[in-house]
Amino acid sequence: MIVDTFATGPMWAGFIVFVIAMLALDLFVFGGNKAHRVSVKEAGSWVAAWVSMAFGFAALLWWYLDMSAGREVANSKALEFITGYLIEQSLSVDNMFVFVMIFSYFAVPPELQRRVLLYGVLGAIIMRAGMILAGVWLVQEFAWILYLFGAFLIVTGIKMLIFADHQPDLAKNPLLRWLRSHMRITPDFHHEKFFVRIDGVRWATPMFLVLMMIEASDLVFAVDSIPAIFAVTTDPFIVFTSNIFAIMGLRALYFLLADMAGRFHLLKYGLALVLVFIGGKMLAAPWFHMPVQWSLLVVGSVILVSVLLSLMVTARKLDRRTT
């Protein structure tokens, strides 16, 4: 398989080392291996850090390509990364709503949430790396599959519009029911442990169920988000790096916005429209080529409008309650 990418082996290795180093810092230096409640200030600092690193990476990418491949290629690839990052970060926000639901259902104490999300990030990186490689191979071998991706995104977006206000019953989740019927589960949490031994018998804890549900939710969302970025670029390096930056920043974004998730209830409609737009763009590609900067403008505008409308509607409801 011939992969169309500008990235060299050292660039891939360097980025992977960077990700591993950041995870190690989080786990062993910044307290990721210790139970504590993440404050809004801490979460905000991490969100700012990850957004800054993502745009810093885009600037570094632009500088490297400007020196090696020319200004036109540099502008194109940097814009592809920023657009892909925005799409992936926007779609990953829907995952945040699922995290809120999972933690509420299992009544996970706030101080125990950080570490399980860190392991969730590790699992998500591994899963998405495999799915991205599979997606790149499929696109390289069967170019027509992009149209299937487009149709799938449109159907998914329409379903999101229809069921935006639907709250799934986790008690009926097939994975959760299977785990509960095939494993010994302790009734209570044992700090952050996934497994414990009681009288010599190995038991799973509710935290293990939480981890499995988080991993499963990311797998489901990856099926939507990875095809979406192929509407912007098929370069595996751009697809992979934009995905990873979005995933790495999701955990901090959750802790920043979890308590305010209810205020962004219209955001799901905006995300659904983004999926429909991207799917339509992919299907219309043979007849109409939309520049990347237009895609960036449309996606950014839809997300911004849905957030602003959510805040306005929430503010009006609060005013009515107080009057």
Side-chain angles (χ1 to χ4, degrees):
M1 177 183 69
I2 299 175
V3 178
D4 183 18
T5 182
F6 63 89
T8 62
M11 292 176 68
W12 280 97
F15 183 75
I16 292 172
V17 168
F18 162 75
V19 172
I20 293 173
M22 291 304 300
L23 289 172
L25 283 173
D26 192 352
L27 186 60
F28 301 109
V29 177
F30 296 113
N33 60 339
K34 297 178 181 179
H36 76 279
R37 182 168 187 160
V38 179
S39 66
V40 173
K41 181 180 179 180
E42 180 183 354
S45 299
W46 273 108
V47 169
W50 277 113
V51 171
S52 298
M53 282 189 280
F55 280 90
F57 178 82
L60 186 63
L61 191 65
W62 181 91
W63 174 80
Y64 168 78
L65 291 173
D66 187 51
M67 298 289 291
S68 60
R71 182 64 54 87
E72 185 177 352
V73 174
N75 290 341
S76 175
K77 291 297 181 181
L79 192 58
E80 286 178 5
F81 172 82
I82 293 172
T83 305
Y85 171 70
L86 176 62
I87 290 174
E88 295 301 318
Q89 189 72 81
S90 301
L91 295 178
S92 68
V93 170
D94 202 23
N95 218 356
M96 181 190 72
F97 293 105
V98 176
F99 291 168
V100 172
M101 181 177 61
I102 292 172
F103 285 139
S104 298
Y105 175 78
F106 286 97
V108 182
E111 63 273 13
L112 301 183
Q113 295 176 5
R114 181 180 180 184
R115 193 179 186 190
V116 71
L117 283 180
L118 178 59
Y119 284 105
V121 166
L122 287 170
I125 290 173
I126 295 171
M127 284 191 297
R128 294 207 178 198
M131 294 179 70
I132 287 169
L133 290 175
V136 169
W137 180 82
L138 288 172
V139 171
Q140 292 285 334
E141 296 294 323
F142 312 101
W144 50 266
I145 204 167
L146 286 173
Y147 303 116
L148 288 183
F149 286 168
F152 172 76
L153 292 175
I154 290 176
V155 172
T156 303
I158 293 173
K159 287 177 64 178
M160 283 182 64
L161 283 172
I162 295 173
F163 297 105
D165 294 327
H166 175 69
Q167 291 294 329
D169 186 358
L170 283 185
K172 297 180 180 178
N173 182 273
L175 174 60
L176 188 57
R177 293 175 66 179
W178 187 90
L179 290 171
R180 283 174 166 167
S181 64
H182 288 77
M183 300 182 70
R184 290 183 291 267
I185 311 294
T186 62
D188 301 315
F189 290 100
H190 290 257
H191 301 290
E192 295 173 304
K193 294 180 179 179
F194 298 120
F195 296 95
V196 293
R197 284 195 175 274
I198 301 175
D199 297 328
V201 179
R202 187 179 179 87
W203 289 66
T205 71
M207 190 63 76
F208 177 75
L209 300 182
V210 172
L211 177 63
M212 290 298 99
M213 294 300 294
I214 286 175
E215 296 291 8
S217 70
D218 187 78
L219 178 61
V220 172
F221 282 102
V223 172
D224 297 335
S225 63
I226 290 177
I229 197 174
F230 283 119
V232 177
T233 179
T234 57
D235 189 313
F237 189 70
I238 298 293
V239 175
F240 182 71
T241 52
S242 59
N243 257 272
I244 298 306
F245 270 110
I247 292 172
M248 297 288 281
L250 174 61
R251 192 165 58 109
L253 191 64
Y254 163 78
F255 287 116
L256 180 65
L257 301 177
D259 292 337
M260 299 183 291
R263 299 184 182 183
F264 301 103
H265 58 287
L266 296 181
L267 183 56
K268 291 186 177 182
Y269 294 95
L271 297 176
L273 291 175
V274 167
L275 287 178
V276 172
F277 163 73
I278 294 172
K281 178 179 181 292
M282 296 173 81
L283 292 180
W287 304 278
F288 175 71
H289 173 69
M290 179 176 290
V292 177
Q293 55 267 33
W294 289 17
S295 299
L296 178 61
L297 178 62
V298 171
V299 172
S301 299
V302 170
I303 297 301
L304 179 61
V305 169
S306 61
V307 169
L308 293 177
L309 286 176
S310 296
L311 295 176
M312 289 173 59
V313 171
T314 302
R316 288 178 180 177
K317 289 182 178 179
L318 291 175
D319 289 341
R320 290 175 183 174
R321 292 176 183 175
T322 55
T323 56

